[in-house]
Amino acid sequence: MKKQLLLLLVTFVFLFACSNDDDQGGFINVIAGCGVSNVAQDLDWLREEINRREDSTAEEMKYCYIISADLNGETIFIYEDCNPLVDKAFPILNCEGTIINPIEATEPFPYADIANRQLLWTPSNFECSFNL
């Protein structure tokens, strides 16, 4: 009887200790915006981008993340990167998936007006540590 109880206990420990986080992909926060209740699921272009990133085998992807924020009352999305060895411009997109801060812009972008930054997506092997 003790052996059966011990075997049962060990089985439960293995069942609950092991996780399949790698199968679940990265972190996705449910955020309302752009007229939908879940931007990561309901905006086709954004869902496709998240899927593309989760399917990527690039080593650098562990530094990439997506932010949702507000700019003058509109929802925006920022593709950010925390790689300490890279300095780059971050694309900012509107609800249609159009880049609104193109590099070739002649007017300065109102970065100071970005508010309510929320972490929307990170990969399962995310390497960054920060406060928004």
Side-chain angles (χ1 to χ4, degrees):
M1 177 73 176
K2 286 184 180 181
K3 286 183 180 181
Q4 290 172 337
L5 184 58
L6 182 59
L7 180 60
L8 184 62
L9 180 62
V10 169
T11 301
F12 278 118
V13 168
F14 276 109
L15 284 174
F16 292 107
C18 298
S19 73
N20 55 356
D21 288 341
D22 292 338
D23 296 337
Q24 295 176 2
F27 166 81
I28 299 177
N29 194 6
V30 176
I31 296 174
C34 302
V36 299
S37 59
N38 183 346
V39 293
Q41 179 180 354
D42 298 333
L43 299 178
D44 292 338
W45 67 268
L46 185 56
R47 184 179 64 246
E48 289 171 10
E49 178 63 20
I50 289 170
N51 289 338
R52 184 189 69 74
R53 289 170 178 248
E54 288 187 347
D55 291 343
S56 175
T57 58
E59 179 68 20
E60 300 81 27
M61 191 56 64
K62 67 185 177 186
Y63 299 111
C64 298
Y65 57 102
I66 300 174
I67 296 291
S68 173
D70 296 326
L71 178 64
N72 301 323
E74 300 292 325
T75 303
I76 60 170
F77 304 94
I78 310 169
Y79 294 169
E80 295 200 15
D81 184 321
C82 67
N83 188 334
L85 302 176
V86 175
D87 185 20
K88 68 179 184 181
F90 301 121
I92 300 175
L93 298 92
N94 62 15
C95 289
E96 289 76 38
T98 303
I99 294 176
I100 59 173
N101 67 330
I103 294 172
E104 67 276 0
T106 56
E107 296 293 320
F109 191 82
Y111 292 101
D113 294 339
I114 295 174
N116 302 320
R117 294 169 53 94
Q118 298 179 69
L119 189 58
L120 175 64
W121 174 84
T122 64
S124 59
N125 61 343
F126 195 46
E127 289 286 326
C128 307
S129 176
F130 53 81
N131 292 321
L132 292 178

